[in-house]
Amino acid sequence: MKSFQGKMCPKCHFPKMKNWEALTDEQKFLVERLPLNTDFTLEQRKKHRFCEQCWFEETGKENQLC
C-alpha cells in the first residue's frame, strides 16, 4: 500500500493536504478566491496547507474552515 505524505485534513479526513507548490494552476486560482483571502496576503497563504477535497485551509496558527 502506498503511504501518503503530509497531514490528514481535520475537517473531512482526506489523507493528504497540499502546500502551495503542490497545487495545480487551477487549484491555486480557486484558493485565491476562498474566504481567507481577505485575512491573509498571498505571500502568507503560500505558507498554508490546503485540502484539495473540502478546501480546508491550515494556517499554522489557528485552523479556519472554509
Side-chain angles (χ1 to χ4, degrees), residues 37-62:
N37 190 36
T38 59
D39 296 336
F40 298 96
T41 66
L42 182 58
E43 290 305 312
Q44 291 171 317
R45 295 185 89 205
K46 288 182 179 182
K47 297 175 185 174
H48 298 174
R49 296 171 58 87
F50 306 90
C51 174
E52 63 182 310
Q53 181 169 305
C54 72
W55 295 107
F56 173 81
E57 183 169 343
E58 182 180 63
T59 64
K61 295 187 294 185
E62 66 178 65

Side-chain angles (χ1 to χ4, degrees), residues 7-17 51 54-56:
K7 186 177 176 183
M8 183 180 289
C9 175
K11 182 179 176 187
C12 73
H13 306 290
F14 190 69
K16 185 177 180 184
M17 294 182 69
C51 174
C54 72
W55 295 107
F56 173 81

